[in-house]
Amino acid sequence: MTNEKHRILCVGNGSSLNRGCEAITRGTLEIIRHALGSAEIISVDHGNTPDLPPIDPDITQHSISVSRWSRTWFMQNTLRVLGIEKTWFPVVGKYIRDVDAVLALGGDNYSMDYGSLRVHLAHIDYAQAKNKPFVIWGGSVGPFDKRGAEYEAYVAGKLRGITAILAREDATVEYLTRIGVSDNVRRVTDPAFVMEPVEPRCEAIPFPIPPEAIGFNFSSLMARYVTDGDVPACIQLVAETVQKLVTEFDRPVILVPHSQKAPSDDYVFLDQVRQILATGGAPVYLLPRALNAAEMKWVIGQLSCFAGARMHSTIASFSSAVPTLSFSYSIKSVGLNRDIFGHETYMLSPKDITPEAVIKKIRVLLQDGQDIQHHLKTRLPEVKEQAFKSGIYLEKILRTGVL
């Protein structure tokens, strides 16, 4: 821990309406405080939600849009027409000269799950132009071969030139090694693992949370993989699945809307599920929008088991030692389960999601619940220690300029 108060610029995370992005920020703050003591944090997220209150008093928060027709998009494309391959970040430019390092948050921005990498690669260029250390912070990276070997090599060259890549799972380290990026890579875990849960106020949840309840998270994003984009069909499938959970196990189900950012708003999706089931009087409850990431983690920690599509909803569950089923649509969930358990037993891929398959997996979680909890409680100290290693690496970069 240092006595000097550092200024850290965090870029690229999503809106805190996505409780996973909020959990990344909260966990990052825990890690930085643990390593550096106090620090001034400037966060420039890509969520385009400027009216949200700051997550923490120590964070100066700005929210910008990088989507089509936004100011950043317009300037970026104007500069490209003029032959200048740089993205214009006015808010970042306001702070970058006076910060000690730039951290790229967001979990999986440096993958191709969301399309173009241009904005995120431009963050690298911008930081390097200002001679600032640049760290991909607790993220999944790659793969980049969707656009061919030449593009993969181009991105690999960019990544070799940054200060550090702090990778949150073995799959990222293995992939980066295959494409020749290794000297600046260190293995850590997702910062959300160290976010502390916070018990909500009594009046914040208008129904009881019985300890035998099953938690369930799903979103319209999964319709792309489960029902070929047919959202109403996906809602019906989830409603049938939740009804079978109630009937089969005689337990209430708590629906957890872990991301509430349009157009893939879990609350909207799960509320339609709840309405379908309400006509039959099933004990199915939907958590209110107002709960923040730390409060949702507290609720998840009270449950007998949990099934989730959003990766950070499952991280909240794993880090609370709750038996967890992951609905996996990307390599990041596969990597997380391999790292936690050494296998993929407690996962379902999108095309395998049926009411019967979910029932079968949940039965295993409930039957083996004590063993799973014991395993998680044994693994968690090591997992959290790896998350805090990010702070150790950051402190060294700030002190010496190198990883």
Side-chain angles (χ1 to χ4, degrees), residues 118 134 183:
R118 185 183 299 140
F134 188 91
D183 290 348

Side-chain angles (χ1 to χ4, degrees), residues 43-230:
S43 175
V44 179
D45 72 57
H46 291 182
N48 193 27
T49 49
D51 297 329
L52 292 180
I55 292 171
D56 187 277
D58 283 351
I59 299 177
T60 300
Q61 194 163 312
H62 296 275
S63 189
I64 65 173
S65 174
V66 295
S67 60
R68 183 180 291 270
W69 307 120
S70 67
R71 183 185 184 193
T72 299
W73 179 91
F74 179 80
M75 290 304 301
Q76 173 188 3
N77 284 277
T78 299
L79 292 172
R80 287 180 67 214
V81 169
L82 296 174
I84 305 171
E85 286 288 335
K86 304 292 180 186
T87 299
W88 189 59
F89 296 110
V91 177
V92 173
K94 177 180 177 181
Y95 293 103
I96 197 165
R97 286 181 176 83
D98 299 319
V99 300
D100 300 304
V102 181
L103 309 184
L105 274 58
D108 52 2
N109 287 333
Y110 290 87
S111 72
M112 300 194 74
D113 286 354
Y114 309 109
S116 174
L117 294 172
R118 185 183 299 140
V119 168
H120 302 292
L121 295 179
H123 275 305
I124 294 175
D125 294 337
Y126 202 56
Q128 289 178 334
K130 304 299 181 183
N131 198 31
K132 300 296 179 179
F134 188 91
V135 180
I136 295 179
W137 181 262
S140 302
V141 179
F144 308 118
D145 54 1
K146 287 183 181 179
R147 289 181 56 182
E150 184 177 347
Y151 185 75
E152 184 178 55
Y154 165 74
V155 176
K158 290 273 191 186
L159 296 179
R160 278 192 291 270
I162 69 176
T163 311
I165 300 171
L166 305 183
R168 67 182 176 183
E169 75 278 298
D170 288 340
T172 285
V173 177
E174 292 162 5
Y175 171 72
L176 289 172
T177 300
R178 288 200 304 272
I179 64 171
V181 183
S182 58
D183 290 348
N184 59 345
V185 179
R186 299 292 185 273
R187 174 69 159 82
V188 296
T189 50
D190 194 294
F193 273 102
V194 300
M195 178 185 70
E196 292 294 330
V198 174
E199 183 174 358
R201 302 182 315 278
C202 292
E203 66 273 15
I205 304 175
F207 50 81
I209 308 287
E212 73 275 11
I214 297 170
F216 197 93
N217 162 262
F218 219 80
S219 77
S220 59
L221 177 67
M222 289 293 289
R224 185 186 311 171
Y225 309 98
V226 177
T227 53
D228 295 323
D230 188 337

Side-chain angles (χ1 to χ4, degrees), residues 222-242:
M222 289 293 289
R224 185 186 311 171
Y225 309 98
V226 177
T227 53
D228 295 323
D230 188 337
V231 175
C234 193
I235 291 170
Q236 190 61 45
L237 174 66
V238 171
E240 291 172 12
T241 301
V242 172

Side-chain angles (χ1 to χ4, degrees), residues 5 18 20 40 67 81 98 135 138 169 189 203 252 281 288 292 303 316 331 362 371 398 402:
K5 186 167 185 176
N18 182 328
E40 183 181 352
S67 60
V81 169
D98 299 319
V135 180
E169 75 278 298
T189 50
E203 66 273 15
N292 64 33
L303 305 173
I331 188 63
I362 293 294
D371 291 339
L398 293 172
V402 296

Side-chain angles (χ1 to χ4, degrees), residues 219-286:
S219 77
S220 59
L221 177 67
M222 289 293 289
R224 185 186 311 171
Y225 309 98
V226 177
T227 53
D228 295 323
D230 188 337
V231 175
C234 193
I235 291 170
Q236 190 61 45
L237 174 66
V238 171
E240 291 172 12
T241 301
V242 172
Q243 180 63 67
K244 283 185 178 292
L245 287 172
V246 171
T247 304
E248 185 73 21
F249 300 112
D250 192 25
R251 295 167 182 253
V253 173
I254 309 297
L255 303 176
V256 179
H258 208 258
S259 178
Q260 299 170 30
K261 181 79 162 61
S264 182
D265 184 333
D266 297 2
Y267 188 93
V268 171
F269 182 93
L270 292 171
D271 190 44
Q272 293 177 77
V273 171
R274 183 196 60 79
Q275 289 178 42
I276 291 171
L277 298 175
T279 58
V284 176
Y285 307 98
L286 176 62

